[in-house]
Amino acid sequence: MAEIQLRNVGKRWGSFVGVENFDLTIADKEFLVLLGPSGCGKTTTMRMIAGLEDVTEGEILIDGTTVNDLEPKDRDVAMVFQSYALYPNMNVYENIRFPLKVRGIDPATHDAKVRRASAMVELDEFLHRKPAELSGGQRQRVALARAIVREPNVFLMDEPLSNLDAKLRVSTRAQIKNLSHELAVTTIYVTHDQIEAMTLADRVVVMKGGVVQQVGSPTEIYDRPANAFVASFIGSPAMNLMKGTVSAGTFIAEHVEITGLNAPDGPLTLGFRAEDASLAGEAQGQINAPIYTLELLGDATMVSVRVGEALVSVKADKTFRAAIGDTVSIRIPSEICHLFNAEDGARLGG
């Protein structure tokens, strides 16, 4: 069992706040993703759990034991880094075996443990090779196997896929997903890639400026973002956000008029997902504007228009054809709209 508790954990360097009041319990065997842009505090949070950064305030508990003062080696966690951190003079077999030697594990068990870990990440045919002879994806799998062989209580993964190309990211992501199911070990995974977060996580923690913005399942965060920042960060494409004014239940902005809203009069930000809207007949929709750009995605065509300073997108059928500058009409039912406070971005109306 490896339940992790972060009790009002904070990290400061002088007057700079890296992480503020992080309070969360991570369940045994849970796959938790820390998601946010660069500099939001997600890696710092992971490094505090690992013991690589000191905690300025608060407590970190693993299995009910406070670990603030424990050395990294005594916390029974295994880390997988973005940079692989392999030993270039050792072959794959010895790289995977190294944690067993360092921890004084019975040498008679090493071969079986190494081969079990390498089989899990499909490295058996590469055990004799040096890291320089491997591709980026293979090196990352060596790093994964080296963490697996430890049989730790907790896996910590810091952007492990960011150095891989798009195709390798997809296949390695699937491998990590399968491994997490097979190993059933508490895992904390740091990424700025919301697709990784949505596909891997049991729960996602969205962070900004060292502060937790929302915690929830991928579905909860996608369907009911807590604020405009979360809405803009989750989804591919991100949620469309438009600034405008509501009067008597009608939202008005440049090229836009949406009626039937349950919202107070005054300025607010309105959001909707590209896949929830659709193209309408001429002048029959709630947005009527010239096409700014068209993107053919294969399964759909992404049509974008400008609304004030915002670029607003809608998914059209893959057969849709038009030219930039042609006027389109976009249908946005009021029930698909998300409303946010114009000043602080907080969600309105539950």
Side-chain angles (χ1 to χ4, degrees):
M1 174 180 167
E3 180 187 83
I4 301 171
Q5 293 174 281
L6 292 94
R7 294 181 178 171
N8 306 113
V9 169
K11 178 65 180 179
R12 301 174 190 274
W13 292 272
S15 61
F16 177 77
V17 179
V19 177
E20 185 170 12
N21 197 32
F22 195 114
D23 192 67
L24 184 69
T25 296
I26 303 159
D28 180 41
K29 301 178 183 176
E30 182 174 15
F31 197 116
L32 184 90
V33 172
L34 303 178
L35 175 68
S38 296
C40 73
K42 57 191 186 295
T43 295
T44 300
T45 301
M46 172 179 282
R47 288 174 64 84
M48 287 190 289
I49 294 169
L52 301 175
E53 293 280 1
D54 292 332
V55 174
T56 308
E57 57 205 20
E59 282 186 303
I60 297 175
L61 292 84
I62 299 178
D63 288 344
T65 300
T66 301
V67 299
N68 288 39
D69 299 324
L70 285 184
E71 293 293 319
K73 65 182 176 61
D74 298 323
R75 298 193 184 196
D76 200 12
V77 301
M79 260 190 111
V80 179
F81 297 94
Q82 175 183 345
S83 61
Y84 317 138
L86 303 179
Y87 297 102
N89 58 317
M90 297 181 186
N91 64 19
V92 169
Y93 184 97
E94 290 300 328
N95 263 285
I96 297 172
R97 183 184 172 210
F98 189 74
L100 302 176
K101 293 167 68 176
V102 169
R103 296 175 71 83
I105 305 297
D106 179 5
T109 68
H110 287 195
D111 188 67
K113 288 178 182 290
V114 169
R115 293 187 183 280
R116 173 178 173 268
S118 74
M120 281 185 168
V121 294
E122 299 171 18
L123 282 173
D124 289 352
E125 61 186 287
F126 303 105
L127 290 175
H128 63 286
R129 293 194 187 180
K130 297 281 181 67
E133 302 172 76
L134 303 176
S135 69
Q138 289 162 345
R139 289 181 204 178
Q140 192 54 275
R141 280 151 52 196
V142 177
L144 284 168
R146 191 177 54 190
I148 292 166
V149 82
R150 283 263 323 271
E151 298 177 6
N153 260 337
V154 181
F155 282 125
L156 304 176
M157 300 189 184
D158 188 8
E159 306 221 27
L161 307 184
S162 59
N163 286 344
L164 305 182
D165 63 39
K167 185 176 179 182
L168 270 176
R169 272 204 302 274
V170 172
S171 59
T172 312
R173 190 171 72 219
Q175 202 154 35
I176 289 173
K177 179 84 170 177
N178 184 266
L179 277 173
S180 72
H181 174 76
E182 192 172 339
L183 294 169
V185 174
T186 307
T187 302
I188 301 172
Y189 186 105
V190 162
T191 185
H192 63 271
D193 185 324
Q194 53 87 23
I195 294 176
E196 286 178 31
M198 296 291 285
T199 53
L200 290 171
D202 296 321
R203 279 193 303 165
V204 179
V205 178
V206 184
M207 299 182 71
K208 177 190 176 187
V211 178
V212 172
Q213 303 295 305
Q214 187 172 1
V215 180
S217 71
T219 302
E220 289 167 350
I221 286 177
Y222 188 84
D223 289 344
R224 300 187 64 76
N227 55 45
F229 171 78
V230 175
S232 70
F233 205 79
I234 296 288
S236 183
M239 183 180 288
N240 296 304
L241 295 173
M242 305 179 293
K243 294 181 183 296
T245 303
V246 170
S247 177
T250 299
F251 175 85
I252 299 169
E254 183 184 354
H255 302 305
V256 185
E257 186 173 321
I258 302 174
T259 60
L261 298 174
N262 181 17
D265 287 359
L268 58 69
T269 299
L270 182 143
F272 68 93
R273 297 277 181 202
E275 65 270 24
D276 291 337
S278 59
L279 292 183
E282 187 175 341
Q284 292 180 352
Q286 285 73 33
I287 296 180
N288 295 281
I291 294 173
Y292 182 79
T293 186
L294 287 164
E295 296 173 277
L296 303 178
L297 305 179
D299 64 334
T301 301
M302 194 70 72
V303 181
S304 299
V305 301
R306 273 211 172 278
V307 174
E309 297 178 1
L311 202 58
V312 172
S313 301
V314 59
K315 275 189 177 178
D317 191 84
K318 64 182 180 180
T319 60
F320 176 78
R321 294 292 181 269
I324 290 175
D326 290 354
T327 297
V328 291
S329 192
I330 301 173
R331 183 182 293 110
I332 308 164
S334 59
E335 61 268 19
I336 71 164
C337 294
H338 302 253
L339 307 176
F340 303 98
N341 185 290
E343 292 189 10
D344 63 9
R347 184 181 187 87
L348 300 175

